[in-house]
Amino acid sequence: MTTTGIGASVRRKEDRRFLLGKGQYTDDLVLADQTYAMFVRSPHAAAVITAIDTAAALAAPDVLAVLTGADVAADGLGGIPCGWLVKSKDGSNMVEPPHPALAQGKVRHVGDPVAMVIATSKAAAKAAAGLVDVDYDVLPAAARLDDAVADGAPRVWDEAPGNVCFDWHIGDPALTDAAFAQAARVIEIDVTNNRVAPNAMEPRAANGHYETATDHYTLYTTSQNPHLTRLLLGAFTLKVSEHKLRVVAPDVGGGFGSKIFHYAEELLVLWASRRVGRPVKWTSDRSEAFLTDAHGRDHHSVAKLAVDASGKFLGLRVHTYANMGAYLSTFAPAVPTYLYATLLSGPYDFPAIYAEVKAIFTNTVAVDAYRGAGRPEASYLLERLVDKAARELGRDPVELRRQNLIQPDQFPYQTQVALQYDIGDYQATLDLALAAIDHAGFPARRAEAAARGKLRGLGISTYIEACGIAPSALVGALGARAGLYEAANVRVHPTGGVTVFTGTHSHGQGHETTFAQLICERLGVSIDNVEVVHGDTDRIPFGMGTYGSRSLAVGGSAIVKALDKIVDKGKKIAAHLLEANVADVEFKDGQYRVVGTDRVKAFGEVAFAAYVPHNYPIETVEPGLEESAFYDPKNFTFPGGTHLVEVEIDPETGVVEVVDVAIADDVGVIVNPMIVDGQAHGGLAQGIGQALLEEAVYDAEGQLLTGSYMSYCMPRAADLPNFKVGNHVTACTHNPLGVKGVGEVGAIGCPPAVINAVLDALAPVGVTDMSMPATPEKVWRAIQAAKKGA
Amino acid sequence: MATVTLKVNGKELTVDCAPRTLLVEALREHLRLTGTHVGCDTSQCGACVVHVDGRSVKSCTMLAVEADGAALTTIEGMAQGGELHPMQAAFKEHHGLQCGFCTPGMIMSSTDLCARSATTPTEGEVRHWLEGNLCRCTGYHNIVKAVRAGADGMRGGK
Ligand code: FES
Ligand code: FES
């Protein structure tokens, strides 16, 4: 291992600009002649728009335009498309309602945009937005999942009876019935996965600039995948050819999924710029973000586990309702289906599984992928169910898991729900985590806490996830309307610098460092000589962006493929310079060497010769040293592991304190351990946040009750402990780096461990169920109810 | 219109702005000091923390006119002579940042904490102090480490 290559905790190259306050986030950018947009948004969850009077707003000072759904329709803008088609079990397509950029005729959730005001200052735009007069006929709303599926519920869309978007299934029902028929015991659970708001600290922003002279559009936007945004703008919404469109996602202040999707505002600022002839910028404020960023989770499931007399899992049956919100966001249909139900086997050997998923429209903002996307929902359901089984069977939850984990010699392991896990060692991560938290010492700690009047509990979750999303053929067969490969271009400069252009996007993940380490390792150049460029469709060949922990597994693999081409071409040049046969030249430690001799050419000399080809195999080799590659993976990658959480509950107040967290993950080969640990920490915080604090709550009328940081409880420093993070590596078998992905492990593995810990702590007082978030009030009430029942 | 005179990062500056202008708007929009960020509209997130006469303040909570005559330090004024401030250096060393959006506020807030206390704050003190600063990326684990190391660094220690 070198000090900067694979396996080194290199300090991040990108940090300096952030630490100096010199990051360039979308809202930091002010273009010449900049104007500002403000949206008029629906205050109602469901209503008919009977009239919009824009005259007063138009007459207000410094206002350039006031645009409505009628203008959108007149200009022929396309609706916001959905990128994934799911079919119901009867073979019919999902109900795919239109999603106009500005509401037309009806509004369907609080925050649905109705009009757009453009002015020369933010303050003027805001003042004028208040003057737009909209008349609504308020309709009854179907706001919450349970309300929307009730008999006689109001319809969000006329074309979706029962508010059903699709009714989908996976697995083998007959096999599962047979498994249940043989069961010694059946354990049942009813769980809700709470709706959360992603809350990247940087609110979304978009700045659109149309240049009349060149008929060219530039969009600066807070995006995790600028090429996809360009593709959707080009083909569906703005409807101009991609060569006329540049999408730039500069520094982006976190995404967690919420910045993957193509949002209406991105289209609208470009279109408005064309209309007013000046650049138009919109920056969300936090309250607007709560109303308009896609939310995450929001499942209600009932599941049954069949076990034999020894505790071996025989079968699993799951029925899930998934809330889609009012419109279908870019990836939304994939989340409760292919990203959720395919993970229901978890790390366990299940002979039979059958799952049904009904996707439901409600009068709420769209729900889409949020850190983990589907996999946290699967893991939460399964790990709560397994814990419940352990309690009902009188088994130790660790031992019941150990008995049912897929064994190392069972890989590759074909699940009953479509996936084939390539490799893993779940026993090893289980043992590591148990040791890290001192599992054996827990009874003593519990007794000590009890002496202080506290209830202490230990919770476990063993989980698996699928990441590195692709392969294209597979996701295409599953309904994706795009391919999911990744692109890279590696440009070696004449005097030794290297620029890497990647189609992934970094919004905190540290690609500028991790990817540079790949170059150092392979070409032997110093890390200061490598620059990684991302986030600009004019500079990067192509890309599918960053989500689902795909950057290194898919994007890094594309870079490796490009590096292979660089090394190969260099070999031909070196062979010429060394007057040797290409077959006799090897590349190692930054040098081309004639095998078995001391005749060498440094990589830098070869690169220089490529650009100054005086002595050069010009007949057979082109000058220059730059290569591109696209990489389409063979399979998903499958990180997995064990998360252990210890909590202490004050029975007087219901406050749950997380006192210890120990996790052991297998995320494949680790390029930068410091960054990997940091990603795990961030995921854990969001996982603990979901389990204990966070929930996006709509009331029955569809008003968002948690629309600011005053009412939506974000995890703060004092809410969290330090984390013990361990790793056990099994290398992914099908990508050249052996990497799997880490960004989501905390959000997937941790929430069930927290709730299992809470229930473990509360078991002595007779509490048997707890939903997320386990707020003090809920915990306190559960304790009181149990006391009364006793 | 109001005229506000400020000493920002050692430089005397005047801002002509509407009386309702927030300090953060004066910094970001009038002075183009965009290192100070806006993460919320309820004074909860701390992305906008700057020093006003040496004390950390949420600049979205203060009107620019209230700061008239004050000495301000923003994140842009922390590094001296091309050298990172010890707190900035500690954040880099301990990976206390990911997307970097909360980072300026975190640095301004923590340097105030460490300047106030005679000894290196305990982990609990750091966590308590940072309750007004949200970070969605790091889980705070490395931020807490960084702040304590930064405190040592500010005292010239290691
Ligand atoms: S922007 Fe000032 S506290 Fe959030
Ligand atoms: S580093 Fe992203 S919010 Fe703190």
Side-chain angles (χ1 to χ4, degrees), chain A residues 423-439:
Chain A
I423 194 167
D425 186 347
Y426 309 137
Q427 289 73 10
T429 46
L430 175 63
D431 290 335
L432 257 180
L434 289 172
I437 209 157
D438 180 19
H439 185 246

Side-chain angles (χ1 to χ4, degrees), chain A residues 12 200-202 253-254 256 507-508, chain B residues 96-103 106 134-138 143:
Chain A
R12 298 199 321 171
M201 291 316 302
E202 177 205 28
F256 317 113
H507 29 282
Chain B
L97 66 154
Q98 291 186 22
C99 76
F101 194 79
C102 72
T103 311
M106 286 284 178
L134 290 175
C135 174
R136 195 58 157 166
C137 298
T138 63
I143 290 181

Side-chain angles (χ1 to χ4, degrees), chain A residues 432-501:
Chain A
L432 257 180
L434 289 172
I437 209 157
D438 180 19
H439 185 246
F442 176 69
R445 295 196 293 279
R446 171 176 254 175
E448 186 276 331
R452 284 184 283 113
K454 299 287 175 70
L455 300 165
R456 198 161 173 123
L458 178 64
I460 179 172
S461 124
T462 46
Y463 74 95
I464 174 119
E465 68 158 318
C467 58
I469 184 167
S472 292
L474 178 61
V475 296
L478 302 181
R481 287 160 167 168
L484 287 173
Y485 45 83
E486 201 43 79
N489 172 265
V490 177
R491 185 176 299 166
V492 181
H493 303 292
T495 60
V498 180
T499 308
V500 180
F501 301 86

Side-chain angles (χ1 to χ4, degrees), chain A residues 201 709, chain B residues 24 37-49 58-61 132:
Chain A
M201 291 316 302
Y709 288 150
Chain B
V24 69
H37 295 148
V38 178
C40 73
D41 36 43
T42 48
S43 297
Q44 296 279 310
C45 78
C48 62
V49 173
K58 287 178 172 169
S59 62
C60 72
T61 314

Side-chain angles (χ1 to χ4, degrees), chain B residues 27 33-34 36 53 57 59 70 72 86 104 112 122 143:
Chain B
L27 292 169
L33 290 167
T34 55
T36 302
D53 290 329
V57 165
S59 62
L72 261 64
D112 184 18
T122 63
I143 290 181

Side-chain angles (χ1 to χ4, degrees), chain A residues 11-12 25 28 715-716, chain B residues 32 88 93 98-99 131 140:
Chain A
R11 298 303 184 262
R12 298 199 321 171
Y25 300 89
D28 297 345
R716 294 170 188 272
Chain B
R32 302 288 303 134
Q88 292 170 314
E93 179 59 27
Q98 291 186 22
C99 76
E131 284 209 6
Y140 305 101

Side-chain angles (χ1 to χ4, degrees), chain A residues 68-145:
Chain A
T68 67
D71 301 305
V72 166
D75 278 9
L77 297 183
I80 308 301
C82 176
W84 209 292
L85 176 74
V86 166
K87 287 180 190 287
S88 286
K89 46 191 179 198
D90 65 6
S92 62
N93 287 341
M94 67 186 187
V95 177
E96 195 179 359
H99 185 182
L102 291 173
Q104 290 171 8
K106 266 189 189 177
V107 288
R108 289 187 165 82
H109 66 88
V110 172
D112 212 353
V114 176
M116 179 186 196
V117 178
I118 297 123
T120 54
S121 75
K122 226 189 265 181
K126 193 171 194 171
L131 301 174
V132 176
D133 195 7
V134 188
D135 284 340
Y136 296 100
D137 257 356
V138 178
L139 301 170
R144 298 179 301 202
L145 196 49

